Amino acid sequence: MVMQTRTKFTSQLGGIKELIDRLKEKCVSDILAAGLAARGDEGAKEGVAGGRKDEDRLRSAIEDSCLDAMLLQQPLIGDDLRLVSGAFRIVSDLSHIDGMTRDVAFLVEELPEKAASKVSAEVGSMSEMCAKMVGDAVDAFINSDVELAQSVIEADENVNSVYWEVHAKLVKLIRDGKSSAQYLPELLMVAKYFERIGDLAKRVAAWAIFRVTGEHTVAPKASQPDTLEQ
């Protein structure tokens, strides 16, 4: 009987990992699509905007599976405990990330192509970096890979660097009174959403490290560079 219960529990843990991986794939796809949407891709905008129900279903399935696992195996200890408790936190961060991609799609809906083109290269770069960070962070959690998780935390500096490049460029354009200046605050907000996605990917990576070490720490947020134009 004990062996049967443990076998069922092991299967449940595998199911949790599979569901988290599916939510990861959705987030990665939506991050990349949000980057395309910010560069004027209408199909990408529609695809991201319509993805709320799928995200809700995956989140509910993961949370329900975690609760079932807790009820089946008591008390949870060691890696089992860290996997289930970490999964609860990761699903919240991933859902937040996916929600941000829809916010980006909403923000860029009324942006003219001329305005969006001013930072299209930077936004594309940020979306690609963030998508990789999210994918790697979740893989690190599923596979208990501390080295991969640490690389995600370090990669956040690159996202921050591009964000501040965008910030400096748009602030200068606003001050110069360019004709499309009215749209520049929205573009800055788009870049900020990707910067925040990078922060959340770093949080997921911290939970991956927690799963292995039992210690949960997140590096402090990088400060604003001193080299920004005044």
Side-chain angles (χ1 to χ4, degrees):
M1 180 63 179
V2 173
M3 182 62 70
Q4 289 179 342
T5 301
R6 181 64 196 181
T7 299
K8 182 178 179 181
F9 178 68
T10 301
S11 177
Q12 283 186 316
L13 295 183
I16 291 170
K17 292 179 185 179
E18 182 179 346
L19 287 167
I20 291 174
D21 191 62
R22 286 171 57 190
L23 183 55
K24 173 203 77 176
E25 293 296 335
K26 174 170 172 49
C27 286
V28 168
S29 177
D30 284 347
I31 293 167
L32 293 172
L36 291 172
R39 287 172 279 171
D41 189 313
E42 294 297 329
K45 291 178 190 177
E46 295 175 5
V48 173
R52 176 64 181 270
K53 290 183 179 180
D54 289 340
E55 180 253 309
D56 285 343
R57 280 195 292 267
L58 282 169
R59 176 173 184 165
S60 295
I62 294 168
E63 291 174 340
D64 290 346
S65 295
C66 287
L67 288 173
D68 288 345
M70 288 179 176
L71 292 172
L72 180 67
Q73 187 77 20
Q74 287 291 345
L76 284 174
I77 59 174
D79 183 66
D80 293 343
L81 174 61
R82 293 193 294 273
L83 170 60
V84 175
S85 60
F88 262 119
R89 299 305 299 268
I90 282 175
V91 71
S92 176
D93 290 333
L94 292 178
S95 293
H96 196 181
I97 287 168
D98 207 56
M100 285 182 173
T101 66
R102 290 189 291 276
D103 291 337
V104 169
F106 175 78
L107 270 174
V108 302
E109 192 168 354
E110 301 301 327
L111 284 177
E113 185 176 344
K114 181 180 178 181
S117 68
K118 296 184 184 303
V119 290
S120 61
E122 292 89 344
V123 167
S125 177
M126 291 181 78
S127 69
E128 290 171 5
M129 286 190 289
C130 287
K132 186 176 190 308
M133 286 175 67
V134 170
D136 286 350
V138 176
D139 287 345
F141 179 79
I142 291 173
N143 300 313
S144 300
D145 190 333
V146 172
E147 184 176 351
L148 183 59
Q150 191 60 47
S151 74
V152 173
I153 292 171
E154 293 168 0
D156 189 48
E157 289 295 324
N158 297 327
V159 176
N160 291 338
S161 177
V162 178
Y163 168 73
W164 287 113
E165 289 176 14
V166 172
H167 184 281
K169 179 185 287 190
L170 293 181
V171 167
K172 184 177 186 303
L173 289 171
I174 291 171
R175 288 173 176 165
D176 290 347
K178 299 299 182 181
S179 60
S180 55
Q182 61 178 313
Y183 301 106
L184 300 184
E186 283 80 5
L187 281 174
L188 183 58
M189 184 61 69
V190 167
K192 186 63 177 176
Y193 271 118
F194 284 114
E195 189 266 343
R196 284 288 296 123
I197 288 172
D199 288 343
L200 288 167
K202 187 166 64 171
R203 281 167 54 101
V204 173
W207 285 111
I209 295 173
F210 162 80
R211 186 182 169 198
V212 177
T213 67
E215 297 180 2
H216 182 257
T217 58
V218 179
K221 187 173 176 59
S223 59
Q224 176 176 329
D226 295 329
T227 55
L228 281 180
E229 296 184 49
Q230 300 298 318

